[in-house]
Amino acid sequence: MKIKKVNIENYKSFKGLFSIELNENINILVGDNEAGKSTILEAIHICLSGQLNGKYILNQLSQYLFNNEVEKEYIKSLKTASKLEPPYISIEVFIAGDNLPFFEGDGNSEQKKECCITFKIEFDDQYKDEYLQLINTGKVSTIPIEYYKIAWFSCARDAVTSRSIPIKSVLIDSSTTRFQNGSDIYISRIIQNDLEEKERVDVSQAYRKLKETFMEEDSISKINQKISQKANISNKTVKISVDLSTKDAWETSLITYLDDVPFHQIGKGEQCIIKTNLALGHKKAKESNLILIEEPENHLSYSKLNQFIYNIESTCTDKQIIISTHSSFVVNKLGIENLILLHNKKTTSLKDLSIDTQDFFKKLPGYETLRMILCQKAILVEGPSDELIFQKAYIERNQGKLPIQDGFDVISVGLTFKRFLEIASKIEKDIAVITDNDKDFVKNITKKYIDYSSFPFIKICADNRDELRTLEYQFTDANKGDLKKICNVVEINGEVYNSEEKIINYLVNNKTNWALKVFSSNIELSYPDYILEAVKWCNEKK
């Protein structure tokens, strides 16, 4: 049983209707800050559990749950003759699976026969008269949330509760820790839910025995006697004891320990791993088959992150996972084909990437794919020397500004240009490639990049002179009129390096070193045409 689509309307960052389709197994949500990744995870969890931040949302209703623009438009309308109806929040989770007649129907915003759960925060009509009196005063400055209710129902229009929903969710956020009576709510719940009924009874009975032991302590008896004497407002005895007001009182009182250390006191990275592993290994897989993970890279070292990802890869076959992340490593290892890009409240999937590209990034996860995906515009170069020379040329033609200050991220990707261009073509990213011709322009440039020649947002910058095979040849040729100037800048003896060939050999054998000296120099030099072509492209894209 899996989620296939989610509709979110007017919740937090989403104004109006937002829709996202999900993969059956792993989904990786990426996007810039404020793109809505966390909001999507939160909304799904609310719809399936009725909980926000570990507490039932009914007790946490607030105007801050509503999209800010929607709230402002509503408040503004109350001062006009065309008053808007009180805004609502709607979250719809569409599910696919067998034996779901209770959830099937056309009671959804799309009015199609589907299996889904809808969670709405909406105005309660029973307060209509009182509400009208309130807005007639002209003093309404926020959404009057006190007149709102929760509506939770299936596509069959039947009311549902978290118990009746067949798909269960777990939200794991390693960036924050939420406590209830000193214990982490989630880990307590996952352990409790994994117990058989007899085991739960055993724990409950053992917990109730605490009252007898606690009350028999001499010190407690003396304290209760003292309290009772001072509490003269009642004829009844006042005393302290263990909370046994409900049969499941132990659920909110027990604390989980790890090597004798309370769970909430261990590192957040370790918490994230343990919570995830418990969820993945949950006995009741059919009842706990959706795992929502918020930025797992937080608080995890490289080795721990490797361990974390391996556990997900090897044990998630029967579960659906939705992860938000800013880590290229997480994306590459879990499969870039599972990535869903959020931009301007729209989604773009990379599931159609070629198998070769998918496998490439899984095997070599160190490449900064997300850096390219999330930047405004990208310049791809082969290595550090190309990056330094391009940036220097850009600075000299843009009043001392670096490319990144104008929204251009310069990224070294080795010779993997086509892998990145395939991704760029899917997301329509403005991108320029600065590359050598390696002695064969037709083969290494024209034919190699023919598939991307028609994309208006992709620019390939390379020199067509085969004899000027690399940057070192190109740079020396651009400054051949004054070879001594090159020697001065890169700090070599001009009497020794007195020919183009000798200078080229030095540059080839000292790639990053000479480029760094050029970057740091105040002496004006010339730059290869294909480098200047890339600078011109950037200036046109501003």
Side-chain angles (χ1 to χ4, degrees):
M1 194 173 301
K2 305 292 174 66
I3 295 176
K4 61 179 184 178
K5 184 171 67 173
V6 179
N7 288 340
I8 303 172
E9 193 169 359
N10 299 334
Y11 182 64
K12 291 193 174 180
S13 61
F14 295 109
K15 179 184 179 182
L17 179 63
F18 167 81
S19 185
I20 179 171
E21 295 186 2
L22 299 171
N23 306 316
E24 285 190 2
N25 297 112
I26 296 177
N27 297 267
I28 309 170
L29 304 183
V30 303
D32 210 344
N33 293 330
E34 307 300 321
K37 303 184 297 296
S38 299
T39 302
I40 292 171
L41 297 182
E42 201 173 78
I44 293 172
H45 191 57
I46 287 172
C47 189
L48 297 179
S49 70
Q51 294 189 4
L52 174 65
N53 298 332
K55 299 178 181 178
Y56 288 107
I57 196 170
L58 181 62
N59 301 320
Q60 297 190 81
L61 293 187
S62 161
Q63 70 268 23
Y64 300 113
L65 299 179
F66 291 78
N67 177 266
N68 186 249
E69 290 184 48
V70 169
E71 180 187 18
K72 287 181 178 179
E73 290 174 2
Y74 162 70
I75 298 301
K76 184 178 180 181
S77 77
L78 297 183
K79 299 178 181 179
T80 69
S82 302
K83 295 179 175 59
L84 295 176
E85 293 295 319
Y88 64 87
I89 290 172
S90 175
I91 305 168
E92 293 178 316
V93 172
F94 294 82
I95 55 180
D98 299 326
N99 301 317
L100 294 170
F102 182 73
F103 295 88
E104 189 174 14
D106 60 2
N108 54 72
S109 61
E110 299 179 5
Q111 296 182 334
K112 297 178 181 178
K113 191 173 183 179
E114 295 276 4
C115 292
C116 82
I117 300 105
T118 300
F119 190 96
K120 295 190 76 171
I121 301 174
E122 60 185 0
F123 180 76
D124 191 339
D125 283 332
Q126 68 173 319
Y127 298 113
K128 187 171 183 178
D129 292 339
E130 189 174 338
Y131 167 75
L132 291 175
Q133 292 177 18
L134 175 66
I135 62 172
N136 286 336
T137 66
K139 297 180 180 180
V140 178
S141 58
T142 63
I143 296 173
I145 204 71
E146 62 271 21
Y147 299 134
Y148 274 65
K149 67 177 181 179
I150 298 295
W152 205 0
F153 52 91
S154 69
C155 273
R157 296 179 176 82
D158 294 317
V160 300
T161 65
S162 59
R163 287 179 180 273
S164 63
I165 294 174
I167 185 168
K168 306 299 181 184
S169 65
V170 166
L171 178 59
I172 301 172
D173 183 358
S174 63
S175 63
T176 62
T177 306
R178 295 162 183 153
F179 303 129
Q180 174 179 304
N181 297 333
S183 183
D184 183 278
I185 290 174
Y186 166 64
I187 195 164
S188 295
R189 185 182 301 119
I190 193 70
I191 290 175
Q192 293 159 18
N193 289 345
D194 216 24
L195 298 178
E196 302 294 343
E197 188 59 35
K198 182 180 182 304
E199 293 171 324
R200 293 173 62 86
V201 171
D202 290 343
V203 174
S204 181
Q205 289 177 346
Y207 180 76
R208 294 181 72 83
K209 288 180 182 179
L210 287 176
K211 179 178 180 180
E212 298 174 14
T213 306
F214 185 80
M215 299 300 291
E216 288 173 359
E217 286 286 334
D218 184 58
S219 58
I220 300 301
S221 298
K222 291 179 180 178
I223 290 171
N224 281 336
Q225 185 179 2
K226 182 178 179 179
I227 293 173
S228 186
Q229 289 172 351
K230 290 189 175 183
N232 55 13
I233 59 172
S234 172
N235 292 326
K236 297 180 179 179
T237 302
V238 179
K239 59 184 178 182
I240 59 173
S241 182
V242 178
D243 179 16
L244 296 171
S245 55
T246 65
K247 68 175 184 178
D248 293 329
W250 63 273
E251 292 186 5
T252 58
S253 301
L254 297 189
I255 294 178
T256 308
Y257 283 77
L258 187 70
D259 283 345
D260 296 325
V261 177
F263 184 80
H264 62 277
Q265 296 289 358
I266 68 173
K268 291 183 178 178
E270 193 74 12
Q271 289 184 29
C272 178
I273 290 175
I274 292 173
K275 290 177 184 179
T276 305
N277 289 346
L278 281 169
L280 289 171
H282 200 289
K283 287 182 183 177
K284 303 177 182 179
K286 293 182 180 179
E287 297 180 6
S288 190
N289 46 1
L290 175 65
I291 302 175
L292 310 167
I293 307 176
E294 175 80 9
E295 297 184 8
E297 65 271 17
N298 287 335
H299 310 290
L300 289 178
S301 66
Y302 180 79
S303 59
K304 287 287 187 182
L305 189 57
N306 257 297
Q307 176 189 340
F308 173 85
I309 292 173
Y310 173 78
N311 290 343
I312 290 178
E313 287 180 311
S314 59
T315 57
C316 73
T317 53
D318 60 343
K319 295 177 175 63
Q320 188 175 28
I321 297 177
I322 307 175
I323 296 177
S324 71
T325 186
H326 285 109
S327 168
S328 293
F329 183 81
V330 172
V331 170
N332 294 342
K333 287 292 285 182
L334 289 179
I336 196 168
E337 70 276 12
N338 297 316
L339 183 147
I340 301 174
L341 174 64
L342 302 176
H343 182 65
N344 291 333
K345 308 309 176 191
K346 295 180 180 179
T347 64
T348 303
S349 171
L350 294 185
K351 61 185 177 182
D352 294 330
L353 284 176
S354 67
I355 299 298
D356 286 346
T357 295
Q358 295 175 26
D359 290 343
F360 174 84
F361 286 111
K362 282 182 182 178
K363 293 174 181 176
L364 297 169
Y367 284 101
E368 297 183 289
T369 48
L370 278 195
R371 184 174 164 191
M372 188 274 287
I373 289 171
L374 297 180
C375 70
Q376 295 179 40
K377 302 174 184 68
I379 309 295
L380 303 186
V381 298
E382 288 187 22
S385 55
D386 307 270
E387 180 176 350
L388 288 165
I389 297 304
F390 167 74
Q391 297 214 58
K392 182 64 174 181
Y394 187 94
I395 288 170
E396 290 185 0
R397 286 153 183 78
N398 287 277
Q399 296 76 50
K401 294 176 70 177
L402 287 164
I404 194 65
Q405 292 175 295
D406 287 328
F408 299 95
D409 200 352
V410 186
I411 308 170
S412 296
V413 299
L415 297 175
T416 63
F417 294 121
K418 288 186 69 175
R419 305 295 184 192
F420 283 86
L421 289 178
E422 184 179 352
I423 297 171
S425 68
K426 303 292 184 184
I427 62 176
E428 299 186 0
K429 174 73 64 178
D430 282 327
I431 191 167
V433 169
I434 298 175
T435 183
D436 300 329
N437 64 47
D438 293 324
K439 294 195 293 184
D440 194 335
F441 181 83
V442 173
K443 174 186 175 182
N444 296 324
I445 305 300
T446 305
K447 292 182 178 179
K448 183 176 181 179
Y449 299 108
I450 186 66
D451 292 339
Y452 302 102
S453 60
S454 62
F455 290 97
F457 46 84
I458 293 176
K459 176 73 173 177
I460 308 297
C461 301
D463 195 291
N464 62 5
R465 292 172 290 176
D466 291 349
E467 66 273 15
L468 301 179
R469 63 189 73 170
T470 65
L471 174 63
E472 292 76 23
Y473 288 83
Q474 292 280 344
F475 187 80
T476 304
D477 180 74
N479 292 278
K480 62 185 177 182
D482 194 346
L483 296 181
K484 287 187 176 180
K485 184 186 287 187
I486 298 180
C487 294
N488 289 336
V489 171
V490 301
E491 300 176 4
I492 56 177
N493 190 332
E495 298 298 326
V496 176
Y497 295 94
N498 54 11
S499 68
E500 290 183 48
E501 182 180 359
K502 290 180 178 179
I503 291 175
I504 289 170
N505 287 335
Y506 175 83
L507 299 185
V508 169
N509 292 317
N510 297 272
K511 285 181 176 291
T512 305
N513 186 49
W514 76 263
L516 185 58
K517 289 176 180 177
V518 171
F519 183 83
S520 304
S521 175
N522 293 321
I523 298 175
E524 185 175 335
L525 292 163
S526 298
Y527 298 92
D529 288 341
Y530 74 109
I531 297 288
L532 297 179
E533 184 182 7
V535 173
K536 180 182 177 182
W537 179 85
C538 291
N539 290 333
E540 291 173 350
K541 288 290 183 177
K542 287 182 182 177

